[in-house]
Amino acid sequence: MAEQPKTAKRDFLIDIEKNSQKLWEEHKAFELDAPTIEEHPDTATLHEKHPKFLSTTAYPYMNGRLHLGHGFTISKIEFATGYHRLQGKRALFPLGWHCTGMPIRACADKLAREMEMFGKDFKIREEPEEAPEIEKLDLKESVEKVDPTKIVAKKGKVAAKNTGLKYQFQIMEQIGVPREDIYKFADPLHWLTYFPPIATSDVKSAGYKIDFRRSFITTDANPFYDAFIRWQFNKLKATDKVKFGERYTIYSPKDGQPCMDHDRQSGEGVGPQDYTCIKLKVQEFAPEAKAVLAGNQEIEGKQVYLVAATLRPETMYGQTNCFVGVDLKYGIYKTRNANELFVMTERAARNMAYQNLSPSNGQVVKVADLVGSQLIGTRVGAPLSKYASVYVLPMDGVLATKGTGVVTSVPSDSPDDYAAVTDLKKKPDYYKINAEWIASYEPIPIIHTPTYGDLAAPKICAQMKINSQKDKTQLAAAKEAVYKDGFYNGKMIIGEYEGRPVQEAKPLIRQKLIDSNEAVPYNEPEGLVMSRSGEECVVALMDQWYLDYGEPEWRKLAEECLETMNVYTEETKNAFEKTLAWLNQWACARSYGLGTRLPWDHNFLVESLSDSTIYMAYYTIAALLHRSIDGSVPGPLGIKHEQMTDQVFDYIFAEGSVPTDSDIPKASLDKLRREFEYFYPLDVRTSGKELIPNHLTFAIYNHVALFPKKYWPRSIRANGHLMLNGDKMSKSTGNFMGLAEAVEKYGADATRLALADAGDSGEDANFEDGTANAAILRLHTLTEWIQEILASNDQLRTGEYNFYDRVFESQMNKLVNQAEVDYEATFYREAVKSGFYELTAARDFYREACSLMEISMNRDLIMRYIEVQTLVISPIVSHWAEHVWGNMLGKEGLVVNARWPKTGPVDETILQEVDYLRRQVTNVRNTESQALKKKKKGKADVFDPNKPKKITILIATKFPDWQEAAIGVLKDAFLADHATSGKMFDDEKIKKDLADKGLMKDKKVMPFLNDLKKKAEQNGPTVLTRTLAFDESKVLDEKAEYLRKVLGYQVLTVIKSDEAEKVTEGDPNQEDYVRAAEQSVPGQPTFVVKNIV
């Protein structure tokens, strides 16, 4: 007989999966519709009679194949759908395909350029000049938490997206596109027809329970969805949620438009950082700078300013100098004021060029080059400072990638500045400065805080023993502490706003500086942002259409919605609250890419994070409007896209009046409305946690703006990224796996189980190769065992349940109940644990106990187990469950349409009894293991577990008197208000009562009480009541034979500890028995093991 291939078990499961998928396809198992109006006309009782569950996940972007990370996020909805189907709900899981935005268009344009270089066949005839590769760019972000009013996003997916390939056609080949077909992708619309069918095939191969009739692509390529987005934006504009005006936005000069999150190669979540740029008027340049600038006619007759970007304009009263980086390159640049020139870095000049601060928009005009060292000793005027003149001095760590490269110095309130000034005063020669430039400049008290007084920086530096600007770690902590305390608790003690809280004074002082032409507003990206065109983005001040997120009344509604939602974890709720606190105006349109055109301004397209906020509602009606993802095949109602007017959408989604501008029949309109009002609101939305600062919060804002309150989303679940075998997924490192690749390698169910086991929290999850392979073995082994049981079930026992039957029955009931709790909470790893691993372990214990006691298993009980096991794990290993349900158990209907198993009572006492027995087995085996280790070390006269042996178990009927007395003390010291006070026991009372009872002298008491206190704090005060729920002596007497057999002893004896001395009288080992008896307490017997001589 030929040897089976190593993949035989996997291949067996894959065959099952293909058959199950075929069965689902034939039965249209996942195509769900709302009850018709004729079926149930009363809307008020609709959900009571016909419960539903609508869940969605972020629709994947169609610029490539789905990877395992997509599969992980989708699986959260997939498992929920399967579970809620078991609960008797019409659980709908639709999935569309996102095509809006820049990525597809940018890639198509790259291919067009590469075709010009290499031709349609992309044959590289001559290597062109080296182009910068993504991985060679310095994408490190320098985001510092320096302003407590800003919440800074830390993003950047470039490491995960980086392929290590130079050209777009190479990337296309890597994702499986034949080279001869790549030229077609120079047309961006080709992407929309190529990748969605592949993505559909990939998710089908994984067995996801999706209603594909409701799938669609976005952009105007689908005129129905296009009409839906036009309705959304017309409605938002009509309610003044969309506005037009100047605002700061991340901008790509190369693309000539705002660069939103989905348009970025890196820097997702990074927004503009708003600075006040202080103008430090040059009174006299340092000699070296004078020499460099001599004869430069562009400077003659002009006023030159060093411009310093600050987040703390209120501290400008305390300026004693300003800093530059010695080795940094600076320039002198023209500004919009012909008579003013700014000294700053080129990066800052590039940003200012798009903020109405340069001679013309986008124009950077440099009139001179300088190095920081040449500026040292320049005398400048510092606005608001009491010093008429201050000097430019050197500082370590000034960055060219942050601010302007010029740093204003306020040593009274900036630990960094104080440390640097202190260094300069101590070692002027070392830093090559004249001592008089700083020696007489003392910190100026400007802000008083209760914590740090009037000179916060000197005080905290002294407290933290910061001696130098090189103490970076301590300085970072000091800066955060001082800045927060100053902002939230500080009061001005100088200037015209003296006595005012810093929070009030800050914007007033900023405006005063701007109005007096001593400062200008300046913005730059919070961190590095790279567009998909490969260019570093800037911040631009431009006229644009924007969504007025953050508007007080709108934000109030969004916060109300958040309060009513289940977001599953505190981490997620905190992230939403922080986002709502800072999120404001968001550019919602751009001129480049794919999408829906703004209805009132066709020069602009709705950007990709703004046309993906309420598409969950579109799912409810999509199957009635069209039967193809692009809308080209009409739906069952025969509606044309031209008929879908704003009034029609109002009627469907917003309880509007019957439309007068469309000839859609009233009956069809009512069917559309019924689908929406039945499936909405959204029951759960799952996405990666990185979408909280944008997409998910936008979804909340748009739902509260467009829909009645009863249709607001009920829950949002955010998960972390998926790692692969403990490392970040990355194509460049080779640690990467596609969804279809995983299904091919492990099979669908093993992949699904490993995804469920990967993790449920907001932290990054981990897909383990070992878990997937173990799943194959587990499922195959379980299938074989079920086959064996079904083939021999006439040999199984029937009749009244014995002890082991009752244990197994209660274990099953308890684990099924726990799995239900886990599924409800969307803790799928826990559901796998309770509903699969522990349930099979309970079966194993039952099977082994019956075998050991030489009795057959109970037929009814074991058949119930097979059915229960199949149902409980079916949301996760659906294909296997379908096979067992129909082909092996012969059940009618599909397992995906079955119901959650009903459970009976749980006998906690019998479960405690069996846990007690298991603990004794574990304790004995641990003792045997220790004996074997001693024997291996050559110790003589040691118990040998491998030889004939006997065991004596000694049980106590009561606790020792000193323990009872100590527990009484603890009970008397219990604090009833511990939940609010945070303290469970009165420690002083414990000490006093112990002393009064004379127990302090007993060295055993305090360790015993401390251990008991810890247990009480962890598990509640019930641990102080130590009465057993069962008769320990009776259990051991009745189960003595089981213990003897399971432990492999020839003799097992049970003795009560208070009778040990009498019973063992004359035994040469009596001392061992008596000593063990003294250590025995109720529930924790001791034992003596001996070899039989």
Side-chain angles (χ1 to χ4, degrees):
M1 184 175 176
E3 184 179 349
Q4 284 192 324
K6 292 182 179 179
T7 60
K9 292 181 174 67
R10 181 206 66 183
D11 297 343
F12 168 77
L13 294 174
I14 287 177
D15 286 340
I16 285 175
E17 291 160 3
K18 290 178 179 177
N19 290 332
S20 294
Q21 289 172 13
K22 184 180 179 183
L23 194 64
W24 296 334
E25 194 84 30
E26 290 171 354
H27 285 80
K28 299 182 179 180
F30 309 132
E31 295 182 7
L32 296 175
D33 298 309
T36 65
I37 295 171
E38 295 76 19
E39 187 180 348
H40 195 100
D42 182 13
T43 304
T45 61
L46 182 59
H47 293 111
E48 180 185 342
K49 297 290 184 181
H50 304 279
K52 64 89 185 180
F53 182 80
L54 172 62
S55 55
T56 67
T57 186
Y59 46 15
Y61 197 75
M62 290 293 95
N63 61 343
R65 296 289 295 269
L66 301 184
H67 55 68
L68 201 53
H70 288 114
F72 175 66
T73 299
I74 295 172
S75 74
K76 301 302 181 186
I77 293 300
E78 159 64 17
F79 302 152
T81 300
Y83 166 71
H84 285 281
R85 289 176 73 104
L86 287 173
Q87 294 294 334
K89 300 175 185 177
R90 299 192 193 197
L92 177 63
F93 177 16
L95 187 65
W97 313 113
H98 200 199
C99 306
T100 307
M102 276 190 60
I104 290 174
R105 180 66 183 270
C107 291
D109 288 352
K110 285 180 186 176
L111 286 172
R113 290 193 294 271
E114 290 169 12
M115 284 169 63
E116 292 175 1
M117 295 167 62
F118 309 123
K120 271 177 69 172
D121 56 1
F122 297 98
K123 289 184 178 177
I124 302 178
R125 298 169 181 82
E126 184 178 340
E127 188 67 26
E129 185 180 343
E130 184 70 19
E133 297 182 25
I134 291 172
E135 67 267 24
K136 292 181 182 177
L137 295 172
D138 181 10
L139 299 181
K140 292 181 180 177
E141 300 172 12
S142 54
V143 177
E144 292 186 59
K145 293 182 180 177
V146 294
D147 185 354
T149 64
K150 286 292 288 185
I151 293 176
V152 178
K154 296 179 181 177
K155 283 290 138 208
K157 288 186 181 176
V158 73
K161 293 178 180 177
N162 179 14
T163 63
L165 301 176
K166 184 186 297 186
Y167 298 112
Q168 184 62 40
F169 78 84
Q170 294 172 324
I171 296 172
M172 304 303 289
E173 273 192 314
Q174 186 190 58
I175 62 177
V177 179
R179 180 172 287 208
E180 61 268 20
D181 292 336
I182 292 175
Y183 77 93
K184 299 174 184 176
F185 291 84
D187 175 4
L189 295 181
H190 184 67
W191 298 66
L192 278 59
T193 61
Y194 184 85
F195 284 112
I198 294 174
T200 300
S201 175
D202 288 352
V203 292
K204 280 186 175 181
S205 72
Y208 290 157
K209 303 174 185 69
I210 297 168
D211 184 350
F212 289 104
R213 299 172 307 152
R214 299 173 187 269
S215 297
F216 57 85
I217 55 172
T218 63
T219 77
D220 52 8
N222 182 332
F224 288 96
Y225 189 76
D226 191 54
F228 171 69
I229 299 301
R230 290 200 307 271
W231 165 77
Q232 174 189 358
F233 272 80
N234 278 331
K235 199 167 180 68
L236 290 170
K237 188 169 184 291
T239 53
D240 207 29
K241 301 293 189 293
V242 178
K243 296 179 179 177
F244 187 77
E246 272 195 343
R247 61 179 298 282
Y248 291 101
T249 189
I250 305 294
Y251 181 83
S252 168
K254 186 174 184 179
D255 298 328
Q257 65 175 11
C259 187
M260 298 294 98
D261 277 5
H262 282 186
D263 302 327
R264 299 175 187 177
Q265 183 171 276
S266 70
E268 289 185 38
V270 173
Q273 175 70 71
D274 185 22
Y275 289 98
T276 304
C277 230
I278 307 300
K279 296 166 66 175
L280 299 158
K281 186 177 181 179
V282 174
Q283 297 170 346
E284 184 179 11
F285 273 112
E288 284 190 55
K290 279 183 182 178
V292 172
L293 301 175
N296 190 324
Q297 295 182 353
E298 293 282 5
I299 297 174
E300 290 181 7
K302 308 286 176 64
Q303 184 57 60
V304 182
Y305 297 89
L306 273 75
V307 285
T310 180
L311 293 167
R312 305 189 71 202
E314 74 280 7
T315 66
M316 293 303 98
Y317 294 100
Q319 294 179 88
T320 62
N321 60 285
C322 85
F323 293 118
V324 294
V326 175
D327 298 320
L328 290 191
K329 294 179 180 178
Y330 294 86
I332 301 180
Y333 295 90
K334 287 186 177 182
T335 69
R336 66 180 178 183
N337 186 329
N339 295 315
E340 294 184 353
L341 301 171
F342 286 175
V343 179
M344 55 189 163
T345 60
E346 186 168 357
R347 176 182 171 277
R350 185 167 174 261
N351 272 279
M352 285 191 183
Y354 295 91
Q355 298 173 30
N356 295 335
L357 295 172
S358 62
S360 62
N361 189 54
Q363 185 181 26
V364 178
V365 183
K366 182 164 62 174
V367 300
D369 285 299
L370 291 166
V371 179
S373 59
Q374 296 167 339
L375 289 166
I376 304 301
T378 295
R379 182 162 49 86
V380 297
L384 301 185
S385 174
K386 79 171 189 178
Y387 297 112
S389 300
V390 300
Y391 288 89
V392 178
L393 302 174
M395 186 185 197
D396 296 342
V398 177
L399 300 173
T401 55
K402 191 171 186 65
T404 59
V406 179
V407 181
T408 186
S409 173
V410 183
S412 60
D413 285 76
S414 167
D416 285 314
D417 296 348
Y418 179 74
V421 165
T422 301
D423 283 351
L424 293 171
K425 286 183 176 182
K426 287 179 181 176
K427 302 177 181 179
D429 294 337
Y430 175 81
Y431 287 102
K432 300 177 183 177
I433 66 167
N434 292 335
E436 61 267 24
W437 291 347
I438 192 61
S440 62
Y441 290 83
E442 294 301 322
I444 305 167
I446 57 175
I447 293 170
H448 175 83
T449 72
T451 307
Y452 301 110
D454 297 346
L455 293 169
K459 184 167 184 177
I460 198 170
C461 284
Q463 287 176 350
M464 298 182 68
K465 299 181 180 179
I466 296 170
N467 299 312
S468 164
Q469 59 187 311
K470 299 186 187 301
D471 297 333
K472 297 296 184 184
T473 303
Q474 299 100 304
L475 280 169
K479 177 167 62 176
E480 184 165 0
V482 166
Y483 284 15
K484 282 186 176 179
D485 192 47
F487 181 77
Y488 290 112
N489 304 314
K491 283 191 176 182
M492 301 299 300
I493 55 175
I494 194 172
E496 65 182 280
Y497 301 107
E498 182 179 351
R500 293 242 195 145
V502 168
Q503 292 184 67
E504 290 181 18
K506 179 173 183 165
L508 299 173
I509 296 169
R510 170 187 162 97
Q511 196 57 49
K512 170 186 170 70
L513 287 163
I514 292 171
D515 291 345
S516 63
N517 197 30
E518 293 175 298
V520 294
Y522 166 69
N523 277 251
E524 67 180 27
E526 294 166 318
L528 181 67
V529 178
M530 298 295 294
S531 74
R532 290 185 183 272
S533 302
E535 176 191 47
E536 182 177 348
C537 292
V538 298
V539 169
L541 179 64
M542 57 191 303
D543 284 329
Q544 58 188 295
W545 293 104
Y546 62 89
L547 284 156
D548 197 14
Y549 297 139
E551 185 275 322
E553 290 303 314
W554 198 5
R555 174 179 164 183
K556 186 177 178 181
L557 288 175
E559 289 172 335
E560 180 185 344
C561 179
L562 178 61
E563 281 304 309
T564 63
M565 282 198 307
N566 178 11
V567 293
Y568 300 95
T569 69
E570 279 301 312
E571 177 194 5
T572 299
K573 187 170 185 180
N574 292 339
F576 272 117
E577 288 173 344
K578 287 181 179 179
T579 300
L580 288 171
W582 67 258
L583 181 64
N584 54 24
Q585 302 165 352
W586 180 269
C588 60
R590 37 140 181 70
S591 56
Y592 176 80
L594 303 177
T596 292
R597 303 217 167 255
L598 282 179
W600 59 86
D601 189 344
H602 287 188
N603 292 316
F604 292 96
L605 297 158
V606 178
E607 62 93 24
S608 62
L609 279 169
S610 297
D611 84 334
S612 57
T613 57
I614 60 166
Y615 64 90
M616 315 83 176
Y618 186 78
Y619 282 133
T620 65
I621 63 171
L624 294 176
L625 295 179
H626 50 79
R627 284 297 167 91
S628 61
I629 60 173
D630 63 356
S632 60
V633 179
L637 299 182
I639 294 172
K640 298 177 182 177
H641 67 86
E642 298 93 340
Q643 295 173 288
M644 296 300 293
T645 65
D646 285 359
Q647 287 187 28
V648 170
F649 284 113
D650 274 336
Y651 182 80
I652 298 168
F653 296 129
E655 299 179 338
S657 303
V658 176
T660 59
D661 61 353
S662 176
D663 58 356
I664 298 175
K666 175 73 162 48
S668 296
L669 291 171
D670 288 342
K671 285 182 179 179
L672 291 165
R673 177 187 270 189
R674 167 51 66 94
E675 286 288 318
F676 171 71
E677 69 185 4
Y678 175 69
F679 283 114
Y680 242 58
L682 183 63
D683 291 285
V684 63
R685 167 70 178 188
T686 294
S687 292
K689 64 182 179 181
E690 72 276 8
L691 295 182
I692 292 175
N694 43 60
H695 169 74
L696 293 174
T697 304
F698 296 176
I700 293 174
Y701 263 113
N702 280 266
H703 272 83
V704 301
L706 296 168
F707 299 109
K709 187 178 292 188
K710 64 182 180 181
Y711 295 131
W712 291 2
R714 289 176 174 166
S715 74
I716 293 178
R717 190 189 191 288
N719 55 261
H721 297 294
L722 183 70
M723 296 190 293
L724 183 58
N725 295 320
D727 292 318
K728 190 171 185 177
M729 280 215 295
S730 170
K731 289 182 179 177
S732 63
T733 63
N735 192 50
F736 185 85
M737 186 174 289
L739 176 59
E741 184 184 354
V743 171
E744 183 179 352
K745 182 176 182 180
Y746 307 111
D749 278 342
T751 298
R752 292 162 64 98
L753 194 142
L755 287 171
D757 198 67
D760 297 308
S761 71
E763 300 303 314
D764 288 350
N766 183 33
F767 183 97
E768 288 279 1
D769 176 81
T771 303
N773 283 322
I776 295 171
L777 185 59
R778 280 178 178 271
L779 291 172
H780 189 271
T781 301
L782 186 54
T783 308
E784 288 185 324
W785 177 82
I786 293 172
Q787 286 174 331
E788 291 171 6
I789 291 295
L790 295 176
S792 60
N793 71 348
D794 57 340
Q795 299 173 26
L796 299 179
R797 172 171 49 87
T798 59
E800 187 177 349
Y801 282 3
N802 62 27
F803 173 81
Y804 303 103
D805 297 335
R806 287 185 284 115
V807 167
F808 187 32
E809 180 184 44
S810 280
Q811 286 176 327
M812 262 200 292
N813 289 336
K814 187 169 186 175
L815 289 170
V816 169
N817 292 340
Q818 182 58 51
E820 189 167 18
V821 170
D822 296 334
Y823 276 120
E824 283 287 349
T826 69
F827 293 159
Y828 301 115
R829 172 188 276 174
E830 295 303 311
V832 169
K833 179 184 174 186
S834 57
F836 189 46
Y837 298 155
E838 292 184 355
L839 198 52
T840 54
R843 185 241 14 208
D844 291 343
F845 175 80
Y846 174 63
R847 181 175 57 174
E848 290 162 10
C850 289
S851 174
L852 199 66
M853 301 309 292
E854 298 178 359
I855 55 175
S856 61
M857 296 182 291
N858 185 282
R859 182 193 302 165
D860 294 338
L861 191 58
I862 211 67
M863 290 304 294
R864 178 171 181 263
Y865 160 74
I866 296 171
E867 182 174 330
V868 163
Q869 179 67 90
T870 303
L871 289 170
V872 171
I873 201 61
S874 68
I876 294 170
V877 288
S878 306
H879 305 84
W880 177 89
E882 196 67 73
H883 172 71
V884 174
W885 188 257
N887 297 333
M888 301 182 76
L889 294 178
K891 297 286 187 179
E892 291 291 328
L894 302 175
V895 77
V896 294
N897 293 331
R899 293 293 173 264
W900 186 262
K902 293 180 180 179
T903 58
V906 176
D907 186 341
E908 289 291 351
T909 300
I910 203 170
L911 293 182
Q912 288 184 35
E913 290 177 11
V914 80
D915 284 343
Y916 170 82
L917 293 173
R918 282 172 162 172
R919 285 199 306 274
Q920 308 324 310
V921 171
T922 300
N923 291 338
V924 173
R925 285 177 175 163
N926 287 341
T927 298
E928 291 181 342
S929 177
Q930 292 299 319
L932 285 173
K933 288 180 181 178
K934 290 179 181 179
K935 194 157 190 69
K936 286 180 180 178
K937 291 180 180 179
K939 292 186 178 181
D941 301 324
V942 174
F943 168 71
D944 187 347
N946 297 320
K947 293 181 179 180
K949 53 193 176 180
K950 62 181 179 179
I951 181 170
T952 302
I953 300 176
L954 299 112
I955 60 171
T957 56
K958 64 175 185 176
F959 293 98
D961 291 341
W962 67 268
Q963 284 193 11
E964 293 286 11
I967 290 172
V969 168
L970 208 56
K971 286 181 178 179
D972 290 341
F974 176 73
L975 298 173
D977 65 341
H978 66 277
T980 53
S981 68
K983 191 175 180 182
M984 186 171 278
F985 298 99
D986 183 339
D987 292 331
E988 291 303 317
K989 182 172 174 54
I990 290 173
K991 289 179 183 177
K992 182 178 181 303
D993 289 355
L994 287 174
D996 291 346
K997 293 178 184 292
L999 293 170
M1000 290 292 283
K1001 298 176 183 178
D1002 191 335
K1003 294 181 179 180
K1004 300 191 295 290
V1005 171
M1006 286 312 295
F1008 171 74
L1009 280 186
N1010 287 333
D1011 181 61
L1012 206 56
K1013 279 173 65 179
K1014 286 180 182 178
K1015 289 178 179 176
E1017 287 164 357
Q1018 292 172 356
N1019 305 312
T1022 54
V1023 300
L1024 302 181
T1025 304
R1026 303 205 292 172
T1027 304
L1028 297 179
F1030 55 89
D1031 186 329
E1032 183 178 12
S1033 177
K1034 182 181 178 183
V1035 169
L1036 283 176
D1037 285 342
E1038 292 179 351
K1039 300 299 173 291
E1041 185 62 8
Y1042 165 77
L1043 285 176
R1044 186 187 69 77
K1045 288 185 174 182
V1046 78
L1047 290 170
Y1049 279 72
Q1050 281 67 42
V1051 178
L1052 184 147
T1053 307
V1054 178
I1055 300 176
K1056 291 182 179 179
S1057 57
D1058 55 2
E1059 298 176 357
E1061 189 170 356
K1062 178 183 177 182
V1063 171
T1064 60
E1065 188 174 351
D1067 192 309
N1069 298 307
Q1070 183 185 42
E1071 187 178 340
D1072 293 342
Y1073 296 111
V1074 172
R1075 190 185 307 116
E1078 290 173 350
Q1079 296 173 353
S1080 175
V1081 295
Q1084 297 177 31
T1086 53
F1087 50 88
V1088 176
V1089 291
K1090 299 289 181 181
N1091 286 117
I1092 298 174
V1093 180

